[in-house]
PDB file of all heavy atoms in Angstrom:
ATOM      1  N   GLY A1022      85.959 122.075 118.338  1.00  0.00           N
ATOM      2  CA  GLY A1022      84.930 122.180 119.346  1.00  0.00           C
ATOM      3  C   GLY A1022      84.968 121.061 120.383  1.00  0.00           C
ATOM      4  O   GLY A1022      84.269 121.131 121.419  1.00  0.00           O
ATOM      5  N   MET A1023      85.757 120.005 120.141  1.00  0.00           N
ATOM      6  CA  MET A1023      85.875 118.920 121.118  1.00  0.00           C
ATOM      7  C   MET A1023      86.758 119.408 122.266  1.00  0.00           C
ATOM      8  O   MET A1023      87.722 120.114 122.074  1.00  0.00           O
ATOM      9  CB  MET A1023      86.513 117.687 120.474  1.00  0.00           C
ATOM     10  CG  MET A1023      85.664 117.040 119.397  1.00  0.00           C
ATOM     11  SD  MET A1023      86.490 115.598 118.644  1.00  0.00           S
ATOM     12  CE  MET A1023      86.342 114.386 119.972  1.00  0.00           C
ATOM     13  N   THR A1024      86.378 119.017 123.481  1.00  0.00           N
ATOM     14  CA  THR A1024      87.243 119.295 124.621  1.00  0.00           C
ATOM     15  C   THR A1024      88.350 118.250 124.679  1.00  0.00           C
ATOM     16  O   THR A1024      88.289 117.221 123.982  1.00  0.00           O
ATOM     17  CB  THR A1024      86.432 119.252 125.930  1.00  0.00           C
ATOM     18  OG1 THR A1024      85.951 117.924 126.141  1.00  0.00           O
ATOM     19  CG2 THR A1024      85.258 120.197 125.873  1.00  0.00           C
ATOM     20  N   LEU A1025      89.331 118.500 125.510  1.00  0.00           N
ATOM     21  CA  LEU A1025      90.430 117.537 125.642  1.00  0.00           C
ATOM     22  C   LEU A1025      89.907 116.225 126.232  1.00  0.00           C
ATOM     23  O   LEU A1025      90.356 115.143 125.822  1.00  0.00           O
ATOM     24  CB  LEU A1025      91.522 118.122 126.554  1.00  0.00           C
ATOM     25  CG  LEU A1025      92.830 117.308 126.628  1.00  0.00           C
ATOM     26  CD1 LEU A1025      93.444 117.120 125.270  1.00  0.00           C
ATOM     27  CD2 LEU A1025      93.819 117.979 127.592  1.00  0.00           C
ATOM     28  N   GLU A1026      88.923 116.310 127.126  1.00  0.00           N
ATOM     29  CA  GLU A1026      88.350 115.083 127.696  1.00  0.00           C
ATOM     30  C   GLU A1026      87.600 114.309 126.629  1.00  0.00           C
ATOM     31  O   GLU A1026      87.680 113.052 126.581  1.00  0.00           O
ATOM     32  CB  GLU A1026      87.390 115.442 128.839  1.00  0.00           C
ATOM     33  CG  GLU A1026      88.043 115.990 130.118  1.00  0.00           C
ATOM     34  CD  GLU A1026      88.573 117.419 129.925  1.00  0.00           C
ATOM     35  OE1 GLU A1026      88.057 118.107 128.992  1.00  0.00           O
ATOM     36  OE2 GLU A1026      89.443 117.826 130.723  1.00  0.00           O
ATOM     37  N   GLU A1027      86.898 115.002 125.755  1.00  0.00           N
ATOM     38  CA  GLU A1027      86.164 114.306 124.685  1.00  0.00           C
ATOM     39  C   GLU A1027      87.100 113.650 123.662  1.00  0.00           C
ATOM     40  O   GLU A1027      86.855 112.521 123.238  1.00  0.00           O
ATOM     41  CB  GLU A1027      85.254 115.319 123.968  1.00  0.00           C
ATOM     42  CG  GLU A1027      84.041 115.747 124.815  1.00  0.00           C
ATOM     43  CD  GLU A1027      83.241 116.830 124.132  1.00  0.00           C
ATOM     44  OE1 GLU A1027      83.831 117.590 123.324  1.00  0.00           O
ATOM     45  OE2 GLU A1027      82.039 116.962 124.437  1.00  0.00           O
ATOM     46  N   VAL A1028      88.179 114.318 123.335  1.00  0.00           N
ATOM     47  CA  VAL A1028      89.097 113.727 122.360  1.00  0.00           C
ATOM     48  C   VAL A1028      89.852 112.583 123.001  1.00  0.00           C
ATOM     49  O   VAL A1028      90.213 111.592 122.317  1.00  0.00           O
ATOM     50  CB  VAL A1028      90.059 114.795 121.784  1.00  0.00           C
ATOM     51  CG1 VAL A1028      91.191 115.122 122.739  1.00  0.00           C
ATOM     52  CG2 VAL A1028      90.616 114.317 120.439  1.00  0.00           C
ATOM     53  N   ARG A1029      90.113 112.616 124.300  1.00  0.00           N
ATOM     54  CA  ARG A1029      90.741 111.492 124.987  1.00  0.00           C
ATOM     55  C   ARG A1029      89.805 110.287 124.978  1.00  0.00           C
ATOM     56  O   ARG A1029      90.246 109.137 124.829  1.00  0.00           O
ATOM     57  CB  ARG A1029      91.113 111.875 126.418  1.00  0.00           C
ATOM     58  CG  ARG A1029      92.342 112.774 126.525  1.00  0.00           C
ATOM     59  CD  ARG A1029      93.592 112.086 126.059  1.00  0.00           C
ATOM     60  NE  ARG A1029      94.790 112.919 126.276  1.00  0.00           N
ATOM     61  CZ  ARG A1029      95.969 112.693 125.742  1.00  0.00           C
ATOM     62  NH1 ARG A1029      96.131 111.634 124.947  1.00  0.00           N
ATOM     63  NH2 ARG A1029      96.995 113.475 125.974  1.00  0.00           N
ATOM     64  N   CYS A1030      88.510 110.543 125.136  1.00  0.00           N
ATOM     65  CA  CYS A1030      87.525 109.458 125.108  1.00  0.00           C
ATOM     66  C   CYS A1030      87.483 108.866 123.707  1.00  0.00           C
ATOM     67  O   CYS A1030      87.472 107.647 123.520  1.00  0.00           O
ATOM     68  CB  CYS A1030      86.152 110.006 125.496  1.00  0.00           C
ATOM     69  SG  CYS A1030      84.832 108.761 125.457  1.00  0.00           S
ATOM     70  N   TYR A1031      87.456 109.744 122.665  1.00  0.00           N
ATOM     71  CA  TYR A1031      87.496 109.271 121.289  1.00  0.00           C
ATOM     72  C   TYR A1031      88.756 108.457 121.043  1.00  0.00           C
ATOM     73  O   TYR A1031      88.726 107.428 120.405  1.00  0.00           O
ATOM     74  CB  TYR A1031      87.465 110.493 120.355  1.00  0.00           C
ATOM     75  CG  TYR A1031      87.724 110.148 118.903  1.00  0.00           C
ATOM     76  CD1 TYR A1031      86.694 109.713 118.101  1.00  0.00           C
ATOM     77  CD2 TYR A1031      89.003 110.272 118.368  1.00  0.00           C
ATOM     78  CE1 TYR A1031      86.931 109.395 116.760  1.00  0.00           C
ATOM     79  CE2 TYR A1031      89.231 109.964 117.028  1.00  0.00           C
ATOM     80  CZ  TYR A1031      88.192 109.528 116.251  1.00  0.00           C
ATOM     81  OH  TYR A1031      88.438 109.171 114.931  1.00  0.00           O
ATOM     82  N   GLU A1032      89.879 108.941 121.567  1.00  0.00           N
ATOM     83  CA  GLU A1032      91.156 108.250 121.385  1.00  0.00           C
ATOM     84  C   GLU A1032      91.097 106.836 121.973  1.00  0.00           C
ATOM     85  O   GLU A1032      91.530 105.865 121.318  1.00  0.00           O
ATOM     86  CB  GLU A1032      92.252 109.081 122.086  1.00  0.00           C
ATOM     87  CG  GLU A1032      93.670 108.565 121.903  1.00  0.00           C
ATOM     88  CD  GLU A1032      94.653 109.440 122.639  1.00  0.00           C
ATOM     89  OE1 GLU A1032      94.430 109.743 123.838  1.00  0.00           O
ATOM     90  OE2 GLU A1032      95.689 109.822 122.045  1.00  0.00           O
ATOM     91  N   ARG A1033      90.582 106.683 123.176  1.00  0.00           N
ATOM     92  CA  ARG A1033      90.507 105.386 123.815  1.00  0.00           C
ATOM     93  C   ARG A1033      89.613 104.428 123.039  1.00  0.00           C
ATOM     94  O   ARG A1033      89.987 103.271 122.788  1.00  0.00           O
ATOM     95  CB  ARG A1033      89.980 105.508 125.271  1.00  0.00           C
ATOM     96  CG  ARG A1033      90.967 106.121 126.234  1.00  0.00           C
ATOM     97  CD  ARG A1033      90.477 105.969 127.688  1.00  0.00           C
ATOM     98  NE  ARG A1033      89.205 106.645 127.885  1.00  0.00           N
ATOM     99  CZ  ARG A1033      89.062 107.887 128.284  1.00  0.00           C
ATOM    100  NH1 ARG A1033      90.154 108.652 128.464  1.00  0.00           N
ATOM    101  NH2 ARG A1033      87.861 108.431 128.467  1.00  0.00           N
ATOM    102  N   GLU A1034      88.458 104.899 122.618  1.00  0.00           N
ATOM    103  CA  GLU A1034      87.500 104.043 121.903  1.00  0.00           C
ATOM    104  C   GLU A1034      88.042 103.666 120.509  1.00  0.00           C
ATOM    105  O   GLU A1034      87.855 102.542 120.047  1.00  0.00           O
ATOM    106  CB  GLU A1034      86.157 104.721 121.814  1.00  0.00           C
ATOM    107  CG  GLU A1034      85.508 104.956 123.174  1.00  0.00           C
ATOM    108  CD  GLU A1034      84.068 105.432 123.062  1.00  0.00           C
ATOM    109  OE1 GLU A1034      83.510 105.371 121.958  1.00  0.00           O
ATOM    110  OE2 GLU A1034      83.542 105.904 124.070  1.00  0.00           O
ATOM    111  N   THR A1035      88.718 104.603 119.859  1.00  0.00           N
ATOM    112  CA  THR A1035      89.276 104.310 118.557  1.00  0.00           C
ATOM    113  C   THR A1035      90.442 103.318 118.690  1.00  0.00           C
ATOM    114  O   THR A1035      90.613 102.426 117.830  1.00  0.00           O
ATOM    115  CB  THR A1035      89.765 105.595 117.878  1.00  0.00           C
ATOM    116  OG1 THR A1035      88.720 106.554 117.867  1.00  0.00           O
ATOM    117  CG2 THR A1035      90.226 105.321 116.459  1.00  0.00           C
ATOM    118  N   GLN A1036      91.238 103.463 119.738  1.00  0.00           N
ATOM    119  CA  GLN A1036      92.345 102.526 119.942  1.00  0.00           C
ATOM    120  C   GLN A1036      91.849 101.115 120.177  1.00  0.00           C
ATOM    121  O   GLN A1036      92.441 100.151 119.683  1.00  0.00           O
ATOM    122  CB  GLN A1036      93.195 103.009 121.124  1.00  0.00           C
ATOM    123  CG  GLN A1036      94.010 104.260 120.804  1.00  0.00           C
ATOM    124  CD  GLN A1036      94.597 104.902 122.059  1.00  0.00           C
ATOM    125  OE1 GLN A1036      94.394 104.441 123.179  1.00  0.00           O
ATOM    126  NE2 GLN A1036      95.311 106.000 121.876  1.00  0.00           N
ATOM    127  N   GLU A1037      90.773 100.976 120.937  1.00  0.00           N
ATOM    128  CA  GLU A1037      90.202  99.665 121.154  1.00  0.00           C
ATOM    129  C   GLU A1037      89.687  99.060 119.850  1.00  0.00           C
ATOM    130  O   GLU A1037      89.886  97.881 119.582  1.00  0.00           O
ATOM    131  CB  GLU A1037      89.033  99.749 122.181  1.00  0.00           C
ATOM    132  CG  GLU A1037      89.481 100.114 123.585  1.00  0.00           C
ATOM    133  CD  GLU A1037      88.306 100.346 124.526  1.00  0.00           C
ATOM    134  OE1 GLU A1037      87.144 100.219 124.058  1.00  0.00           O
ATOM    135  OE2 GLU A1037      88.541 100.672 125.711  1.00  0.00           O
ATOM    136  N   ALA A1038      89.043  99.909 119.045  1.00  0.00           N
ATOM    137  CA  ALA A1038      88.556  99.423 117.741  1.00  0.00           C
ATOM    138  C   ALA A1038      89.696  99.026 116.824  1.00  0.00           C
ATOM    139  O   ALA A1038      89.616  98.052 116.079  1.00  0.00           O
ATOM    140  CB  ALA A1038      87.686 100.507 117.087  1.00  0.00           C
ATOM    141  N   THR A1039      90.807  99.785 116.890  1.00  0.00           N
ATOM    142  CA  THR A1039      91.974  99.465 116.057  1.00  0.00           C
ATOM    143  C   THR A1039      92.640  98.188 116.487  1.00  0.00           C
ATOM    144  O   THR A1039      92.988  97.349 115.647  1.00  0.00           O
ATOM    145  CB  THR A1039      93.006 100.638 116.117  1.00  0.00           C
ATOM    146  OG1 THR A1039      92.368 101.858 115.727  1.00  0.00           O
ATOM    147  CG2 THR A1039      94.176 100.362 115.202  1.00  0.00           C
ATOM    148  N   ASN A1040      92.805  98.003 117.789  1.00  0.00           N
ATOM    149  CA  ASN A1040      93.384  96.756 118.284  1.00  0.00           C
ATOM    150  C   ASN A1040      92.548  95.537 117.882  1.00  0.00           C
ATOM    151  O   ASN A1040      93.065  94.487 117.529  1.00  0.00           O
ATOM    152  CB  ASN A1040      93.552  96.812 119.804  1.00  0.00           C
ATOM    153  CG  ASN A1040      94.658  97.743 120.259  1.00  0.00           C
ATOM    154  OD1 ASN A1040      95.409  98.263 119.422  1.00  0.00           O
ATOM    155  ND2 ASN A1040      94.745  97.964 121.554  1.00  0.00           N
ATOM    156  N   GLU A1041      91.210  95.718 117.922  1.00  0.00           N
ATOM    157  CA  GLU A1041      90.320  94.648 117.545  1.00  0.00           C
ATOM    158  C   GLU A1041      90.436  94.387 116.034  1.00  0.00           C
ATOM    159  O   GLU A1041      90.434  93.237 115.555  1.00  0.00           O
ATOM    160  CB  GLU A1041      88.879  95.021 117.871  1.00  0.00           C
ATOM    161  CG  GLU A1041      87.856  93.961 117.503  1.00  0.00           C
ATOM    162  CD  GLU A1041      86.447  94.380 117.836  1.00  0.00           C
ATOM    163  OE1 GLU A1041      86.282  95.444 118.485  1.00  0.00           O
ATOM    164  OE2 GLU A1041      85.506  93.636 117.492  1.00  0.00           O
ATOM    165  N   LEU A1042      90.570  95.443 115.251  1.00  0.00           N
ATOM    166  CA  LEU A1042      90.702  95.323 113.803  1.00  0.00           C
ATOM    167  C   LEU A1042      91.967  94.575 113.418  1.00  0.00           C
ATOM    168  O   LEU A1042      91.962  93.715 112.536  1.00  0.00           O
ATOM    169  CB  LEU A1042      90.694  96.708 113.160  1.00  0.00           C
ATOM    170  CG  LEU A1042      90.786  96.775 111.632  1.00  0.00           C
ATOM    171  CD1 LEU A1042      89.564  96.151 111.003  1.00  0.00           C
ATOM    172  CD2 LEU A1042      90.931  98.216 111.181  1.00  0.00           C
ATOM    173  N   ILE A1043      93.061  94.868 114.126  1.00  0.00           N
ATOM    174  CA  ILE A1043      94.326  94.202 113.826  1.00  0.00           C
ATOM    175  C   ILE A1043      94.225  92.701 114.133  1.00  0.00           C
ATOM    176  O   ILE A1043      94.882  91.893 113.521  1.00  0.00           O
ATOM    177  CB  ILE A1043      95.480  94.871 114.614  1.00  0.00           C
ATOM    178  CG1 ILE A1043      95.639  96.325 114.174  1.00  0.00           C
ATOM    179  CG2 ILE A1043      96.794  94.134 114.400  1.00  0.00           C
ATOM    180  CD1 ILE A1043      96.642  97.082 115.029  1.00  0.00           C
ATOM    181  N   GLY A1044      93.417  92.360 115.115  1.00  0.00           N
ATOM    182  CA  GLY A1044      93.273  90.966 115.506  1.00  0.00           C
ATOM    183  C   GLY A1044      93.856  90.683 116.858  1.00  0.00           C
ATOM    184  O   GLY A1044      94.126  89.523 117.177  1.00  0.00           O
ATOM    185  N   LEU A1045      94.117  91.740 117.657  1.00  0.00           N
ATOM    186  CA  LEU A1045      94.717  91.528 118.967  1.00  0.00           C
ATOM    187  C   LEU A1045      93.719  91.282 120.058  1.00  0.00           C
ATOM    188  O   LEU A1045      94.065  90.790 121.143  1.00  0.00           O
ATOM    189  CB  LEU A1045      95.551  92.768 119.346  1.00  0.00           C
ATOM    190  CG  LEU A1045      96.697  93.091 118.369  1.00  0.00           C
ATOM    191  CD1 LEU A1045      97.286  94.449 118.690  1.00  0.00           C
ATOM    192  CD2 LEU A1045      97.750  92.040 118.437  1.00  0.00           C
ATOM    193  N   VAL A1046      92.447  91.608 119.805  1.00  0.00           N
ATOM    194  CA  VAL A1046      91.398  91.371 120.776  1.00  0.00           C
ATOM    195  C   VAL A1046      90.551  90.220 120.265  1.00  0.00           C
ATOM    196  O   VAL A1046      89.714  90.402 119.378  1.00  0.00           O
ATOM    197  CB  VAL A1046      90.518  92.627 120.989  1.00  0.00           C
ATOM    198  CG1 VAL A1046      89.456  92.357 122.023  1.00  0.00           C
ATOM    199  CG2 VAL A1046      91.389  93.817 121.376  1.00  0.00           C
ATOM    200  N   ALA A1047      90.823  89.030 120.766  1.00  0.00           N
ATOM    201  CA  ALA A1047      90.096  87.846 120.306  1.00  0.00           C
ATOM    202  C   ALA A1047      89.058  87.413 121.315  1.00  0.00           C
ATOM    203  O   ALA A1047      89.222  87.612 122.534  1.00  0.00           O
ATOM    204  CB  ALA A1047      91.083  86.701 120.082  1.00  0.00           C
ATOM    205  N   PRO A1048      87.955  86.846 120.867  1.00  0.00           N
ATOM    206  CA  PRO A1048      86.925  86.377 121.809  1.00  0.00           C
ATOM    207  C   PRO A1048      87.453  85.230 122.645  1.00  0.00           C
ATOM    208  O   PRO A1048      88.286  84.441 122.189  1.00  0.00           O
ATOM    209  CB  PRO A1048      85.799  85.923 120.891  1.00  0.00           C
ATOM    210  CG  PRO A1048      86.453  85.566 119.588  1.00  0.00           C
ATOM    211  CD  PRO A1048      87.608  86.549 119.480  1.00  0.00           C
ATOM    212  N   ALA A1049      86.984  85.127 123.919  1.00  0.00           N
ATOM    213  CA  ALA A1049      87.403  84.041 124.761  1.00  0.00           C
ATOM    214  C   ALA A1049      86.777  82.728 124.287  1.00  0.00           C
ATOM    215  O   ALA A1049      85.615  82.692 123.863  1.00  0.00           O
ATOM    216  CB  ALA A1049      86.992  84.351 126.226  1.00  0.00           C
ATOM    217  N   ILE A1050      87.538  81.622 124.344  1.00  0.00           N
ATOM    218  CA  ILE A1050      87.080  80.335 123.912  1.00  0.00           C
ATOM    219  C   ILE A1050      87.068  79.413 125.102  1.00  0.00           C
ATOM    220  O   ILE A1050      88.109  79.183 125.715  1.00  0.00           O
ATOM    221  CB  ILE A1050      87.975  79.752 122.791  1.00  0.00           C
ATOM    222  CG1 ILE A1050      88.039  80.716 121.622  1.00  0.00           C
ATOM    223  CG2 ILE A1050      87.485  78.394 122.357  1.00  0.00           C
ATOM    224  CD1 ILE A1050      88.989  80.284 120.531  1.00  0.00           C
ATOM    225  N   ALA A1051      85.918  78.891 125.461  1.00  0.00           N
ATOM    226  CA  ALA A1051      85.800  77.977 126.602  1.00  0.00           C
ATOM    227  C   ALA A1051      86.113  76.559 126.133  1.00  0.00           C
ATOM    228  O   ALA A1051      85.536  76.084 125.156  1.00  0.00           O
ATOM    229  CB  ALA A1051      84.415  78.067 127.230  1.00  0.00           C
ATOM    230  N   VAL A1052      87.040  75.910 126.824  1.00  0.00           N
ATOM    231  CA  VAL A1052      87.416  74.531 126.468  1.00  0.00           C
ATOM    232  C   VAL A1052      87.201  73.673 127.718  1.00  0.00           C
ATOM    233  O   VAL A1052      87.751  73.929 128.760  1.00  0.00           O
ATOM    234  CB  VAL A1052      88.919  74.461 126.070  1.00  0.00           C
ATOM    235  CG1 VAL A1052      89.289  73.039 125.721  1.00  0.00           C
ATOM    236  CG2 VAL A1052      89.140  75.404 124.897  1.00  0.00           C
ATOM    237  N   SER A1053      86.364  72.637 127.596  1.00  0.00           N
ATOM    238  CA  SER A1053      86.077  71.770 128.728  1.00  0.00           C
ATOM    239  C   SER A1053      86.494  70.355 128.428  1.00  0.00           C
ATOM    240  O   SER A1053      86.400  69.893 127.285  1.00  0.00           O
ATOM    241  CB  SER A1053      84.582  71.822 129.087  1.00  0.00           C
ATOM    242  OG  SER A1053      83.805  71.385 127.984  1.00  0.00           O
ATOM    243  N   GLU A1054      86.949  69.674 129.453  1.00  0.00           N
ATOM    244  CA  GLU A1054      87.359  68.288 129.339  1.00  0.00           C
ATOM    245  C   GLU A1054      86.732  67.507 130.475  1.00  0.00           C
ATOM    246  O   GLU A1054      86.314  68.073 131.498  1.00  0.00           O
ATOM    247  CB  GLU A1054      88.876  68.150 129.398  1.00  0.00           C
ATOM    248  CG  GLU A1054      89.596  68.854 128.241  1.00  0.00           C
ATOM    249  CD  GLU A1054      91.089  68.673 128.344  1.00  0.00           C
ATOM    250  OE1 GLU A1054      91.555  67.984 129.247  1.00  0.00           O
ATOM    251  OE2 GLU A1054      91.789  69.249 127.494  1.00  0.00           O
ATOM    252  N   VAL A1055      86.614  66.207 130.288  1.00  0.00           N
ATOM    253  CA  VAL A1055      85.958  65.372 131.294  1.00  0.00           C
ATOM    254  C   VAL A1055      86.747  65.446 132.597  1.00  0.00           C
ATOM    255  O   VAL A1055      87.950  65.239 132.608  1.00  0.00           O
ATOM    256  CB  VAL A1055      85.874  63.920 130.815  1.00  0.00           C
ATOM    257  CG1 VAL A1055      85.291  63.043 131.919  1.00  0.00           C
ATOM    258  CG2 VAL A1055      85.074  63.850 129.543  1.00  0.00           C
ATOM    259  N   GLY A1056      86.078  65.755 133.677  1.00  0.00           N
ATOM    260  CA  GLY A1056      86.717  65.793 134.994  1.00  0.00           C
ATOM    261  C   GLY A1056      87.491  67.043 135.265  1.00  0.00           C
ATOM    262  O   GLY A1056      88.129  67.164 136.299  1.00  0.00           O
TER     263      GLY A1056
END
């Protein structure tokens, strides 16, 4: 019952979750130094 557009959306969101699960999507770390 899913349309091709819906399954493509599911595909994109699942791929993002998978990449995050593997550890490829890491949070940004701000590093500051004097000056």
Side-chain angles (χ1 to χ4, degrees):
M1023 295 178 73
T1024 65
L1025 189 58
E1026 290 73 21
E1027 289 173 335
V1028 79
R1029 285 296 184 193
C1030 180
Y1031 171 84
E1032 185 181 48
R1033 288 191 299 269
E1034 297 188 13
T1035 307
Q1036 288 167 0
E1037 292 174 0
T1039 303
N1040 288 353
E1041 181 181 353
L1042 182 64
I1043 298 172
L1045 300 170
V1046 182
I1050 302 175
V1052 180
S1053 61
E1054 297 180 4
V1055 177

